[in-house]
Amino acid sequence: MDQVDHADDNPPLVDQEHSGPPWTTLRHFPNIDNVNASTLRAALLAKHTTSYLVDWVSSFLSERSCTLVFQGSSNLPPPVSVGTPHGSPISPLLFLLYVAPFHLAIPKGIMLSYVDDFSITVASMSYWDNLHRLQRTYTEISDRGRSRGVSFSVPITELIHWRTPSQGTPHATNPIQLDGQLFHPKQVIRWLSYWLAPALTATHHYRDRLSLAQAAFSFVKRLSFPGAGVRPFVCHRVTQGLLLP
């Protein structure tokens, strides 16, 4: 297993009774195009899924082709035997069923997933121990993924160390090493369109939303020039429609 570089300036937290143990989150992303139809069919049958539903899923994933268009001319559509059809609302659900065995029971930890976004959060007596636990969990998930032909996009892995204001400790900078690549903790990560910071504050998220609202407002203002364009009261109505929930 890869080793974690120890940072002497990030000691373990010692006041566990009052502040709680430190916790760390690792996010990684499996490749969604690796769903094998026969493997998924066998998994559904093993879970005693209704036969007609299994047949429907098999039909949905079979006899597919892909056509590429270059400068207006298309090539002969080759057959596609892996992955799920893009743009279909059924495809993410099938992928979730396909990667269901990846979810592990983690002592003092939790694993969440949203389509192709896996999040592993663990807690222990120090950030150093958290990183070792995350490494072991990642290794086990990767082994399960290889058994199903699913790989993870390691270069876009994200790491963040959490802390509460009551802990009163400096930001942890301990990195993690996965498959020979070193990942330093981020100051913010985006989870389901919400920006999360290590201190569990919403400042960055609201600053981001305010920036988007100001950009929308500036765009609308350009629609109405003095003496031309959209009338001011119409511009005001459009702005309200963009900014108000």
Side-chain angles (χ1 to χ4, degrees):
M1 180 182 299
D2 297 327
Q3 297 298 315
V4 181
D5 294 335
H6 182 62
D8 295 332
D9 58 343
N10 290 280
L13 297 180
V14 294
D15 192 10
Q16 305 296 336
E17 181 179 356
H18 298 89
S19 61
W23 42 296
T24 303
T25 296
L26 179 72
R27 293 180 62 203
H28 50 283
F29 308 88
N31 294 316
I32 196 172
D33 293 330
N34 293 343
V35 175
N36 184 282
S38 59
T39 302
L40 179 59
R41 178 183 177 87
L44 292 175
L45 291 174
K47 293 295 184 179
H48 307 289
T49 306
T50 307
S51 59
Y52 77 85
L53 183 58
V54 176
D55 292 338
W56 184 91
V57 171
S58 299
S59 175
F60 179 74
L61 297 177
S62 61
E63 299 182 3
R64 296 162 46 224
S65 60
C66 176
T67 301
L68 300 178
V69 179
F70 295 99
Q71 297 180 354
S73 60
S74 59
N75 63 346
L76 295 177
V80 177
S81 58
V82 296
T84 56
H86 288 194
S88 171
I90 303 298
S91 297
L93 298 177
L94 295 179
F95 182 77
L96 289 177
L97 294 174
Y98 193 74
V99 300
F102 296 0
H103 291 79
L104 309 174
I106 308 174
K108 292 185 178 180
I110 186 173
M111 177 183 295
L112 302 174
S113 67
Y114 181 77
V115 189
D116 61 341
D117 187 338
F118 273 73
S119 173
I120 308 171
T121 301
V122 297
S124 64
M125 299 303 293
S126 70
Y127 293 115
W128 172 253
D129 292 336
N130 286 348
L131 295 178
H132 280 289
R133 293 185 62 196
L134 288 173
Q135 282 183 324
R136 291 193 296 268
T137 304
Y138 170 79
T139 300
E140 184 173 353
I141 293 177
S142 297
D143 291 341
R144 295 191 179 193
R146 280 190 289 270
S147 67
R148 292 210 163 196
V150 175
S151 60
F152 288 88
S153 301
V154 178
I156 59 176
T157 297
E158 296 179 341
L159 174 74
I160 189 168
H161 295 298
W162 306 101
R163 67 185 182 91
T164 62
S166 61
Q167 289 174 330
T169 56
H171 293 287
T173 58
N174 308 66
I176 190 172
Q177 190 172 2
L178 303 173
D179 294 345
Q181 301 183 51
L182 194 65
F183 300 93
H184 292 273
K186 293 182 173 294
Q187 294 303 313
V188 292
I189 61 172
R190 190 176 186 182
W191 175 255
L192 299 182
S193 299
Y194 195 94
W195 289 98
L196 301 172
L200 303 179
T201 60
T203 303
H204 184 90
H205 176 76
Y206 289 121
R207 186 184 298 118
D208 177 74
R209 303 309 299 177
L210 177 60
S211 176
L212 293 175
Q214 290 174 335
F217 182 70
S218 298
F219 174 77
V220 172
K221 285 196 302 184
R222 292 197 297 268
L223 298 177
S224 180
F225 296 96
V230 182
R231 287 180 290 179
F233 84 92
V234 176
C235 183
H236 179 70
R237 294 289 297 273
V238 174
T239 303
Q240 285 186 318
L242 290 173
L243 301 183
L244 296 180

